[in-house]
Amino acid sequence: MSRTPTVALRSFSMQSGTQTGEKQAALPTGADIGTILCNSDLDGTAPLTRQRFNSDFTLVSGTLPGPGGSGTVATAFSLADGRAVERRSDGGAGSPSKESTPSKESAPTFQAGTSNLWYQTAAGRLASRDLAQPAAVPVDHGISPSPEFVLAGDKPVRYPSGVDARRVAANPAGTVAAGFSYPSPVLWHTDDSANSGGNSLDQPLYLDHIDHNKHDGEERQVTEIPGASSNLLGCVPRLWINARSLLCTNELHFYRISFKADYSRITEVAKLLPESPKIRDAVLSPDGKALAYLKAEGPTVDLYRVSLAEDAKPVEVGPLPTNTGGIGDIVHLVAWQ
């Protein structure tokens, strides 16, 4: 990022749209909180956006330049005052000492529901540290399965080559994941030993119905899932509504994709909204019965909710403020609590 960001975390009533709280902090020079939060055009999955923050929304993950400005170190920033969490100087996941070689830590993310910060080391290993415990020793989790890792609980999710790591969503059990491999949504078993019928890391199942084998003039061998729909071309997985239902979104539609219990077939593709341009950032309600989402047209960003019941109509909750005083009007929906 070219400029130091200011982060504003605001909460709103989902009934009236009234703002009920705010935390705002200017981050240190050189702080980088990643493309998911700092790019208005990139709609990452709901779990990945949420995991940029710790469990109680007091910290946001990011990186700082290493000692002498060389490399990067993974850390988190307080939303009370913007300060970076103090780092250890014992090597591993701690802050490098002045005598150490430049670090290149990357991809900091919180384990869901915790204060455990995970990141990738310069050696390509995964490490974590509980930021709620100042004296906590870094924990090594072995070789990272991919250049950018995705967490489901306390396990990194493997994903196929060509899939955008920022658009990977694992099901609640972490056994199956969906992702986006331009221009298509795909599905695979996260554990190769569990896959069958080609549904694997090497050969994920395509959820849309097009002539994949001739995409971009290249001959490719791909497998469509039975029940694949042409409506899903360009649709990006956002979140799992439940164990067998995936929310897939584009700028015009939200689709609920339902699968057989073994994920071998799509049983239904249902539109959840009337066609509406510039919709994004859906999150699930705490009871799993509704969605909140944003509609962004020009400088205006509006908050909506819609029940997942059949024939439900979207309800406009209200407009959201867009000026944080820092990098501009980049607004993302993080969670419904």
Side-chain angles (χ1 to χ4, degrees), residues 107-250:
T109 187
F110 284 102
Q111 181 180 326
T114 75
S115 55
N116 292 331
L117 183 73
W118 287 59
Y119 54 92
Q120 188 163 275
T121 70
R125 301 183 71 83
L126 292 182
S128 69
R129 182 170 153 240
D130 186 356
L131 299 187
Q133 304 294 330
V137 175
V139 177
D140 181 88
H141 298 279
I143 297 294
S144 177
S146 51
E148 295 182 81
F149 68 96
V150 177
L151 279 181
D154 62 351
K155 294 180 174 56
V157 175
R158 301 173 66 198
Y159 55 90
S161 174
V163 168
D164 186 341
R166 298 162 297 187
R167 290 171 166 174
V168 172
N171 70 342
T175 56
V176 169
F180 189 72
S181 179
Y182 182 82
S184 303
V186 295
L187 184 82
W188 66 94
H189 282 282
T190 57
D191 181 356
D192 271 347
S193 66
N195 72 65
S196 60
N199 186 4
S200 67
L201 288 167
D202 293 332
Q203 193 175 18
L205 294 176
Y206 282 68
L207 306 185
D208 60 342
H209 177 64
I210 60 171
D211 190 356
H212 293 283
N213 293 326
K214 294 184 179 179
H215 177 61
D216 288 341
E218 297 180 1
E219 293 293 330
R220 300 190 301 165
Q221 295 299 314
V222 304
T223 304
E224 287 183 3
I225 191 170
S229 170
S230 58
N231 288 336
L232 298 179
L233 177 64
C235 200
V236 178
R238 175 68 183 170
L239 58 85
W240 287 82
I241 296 170
N242 55 46
R244 291 169 52 187
S245 295
L246 174 72
L247 180 70
C248 195
T249 70
N250 58 33

Side-chain angles (χ1 to χ4, degrees), residues 57-74:
F57 289 102
T58 56
L59 299 172
V60 60
S61 64
T63 61
L64 277 174
S70 298
T72 54
V73 292

Side-chain angles (χ1 to χ4, degrees), residues 36-37 42-53 57 109-110 112 150-151 165-170 236-241 246-247 249 280-285 291-292 332-336:
I36 286 181
L37 294 182
L42 177 63
D43 189 6
T45 65
L48 293 186
T49 304
R50 176 63 184 88
Q51 288 170 12
R52 292 299 177 266
F53 299 88
F57 289 102
T109 187
F110 284 102
V150 177
L151 279 181
R166 298 162 297 187
R167 290 171 166 174
V168 172
V236 178
R238 175 68 183 170
L239 58 85
W240 287 82
I241 296 170
L246 174 72
L247 180 70
T249 70
R280 59 180 176 87
D281 277 22
V283 296
L284 193 64
S285 65
L291 295 171
H332 286 293
L333 193 59
V334 178
W336 184 347

Side-chain angles (χ1 to χ4, degrees), residues 244-258:
R244 291 169 52 187
S245 295
L246 174 72
L247 180 70
C248 195
T249 70
N250 58 33
E251 287 194 338
L252 295 175
H253 297 293
F254 286 178
Y255 293 98
R256 177 170 51 199
I257 307 171
S258 299

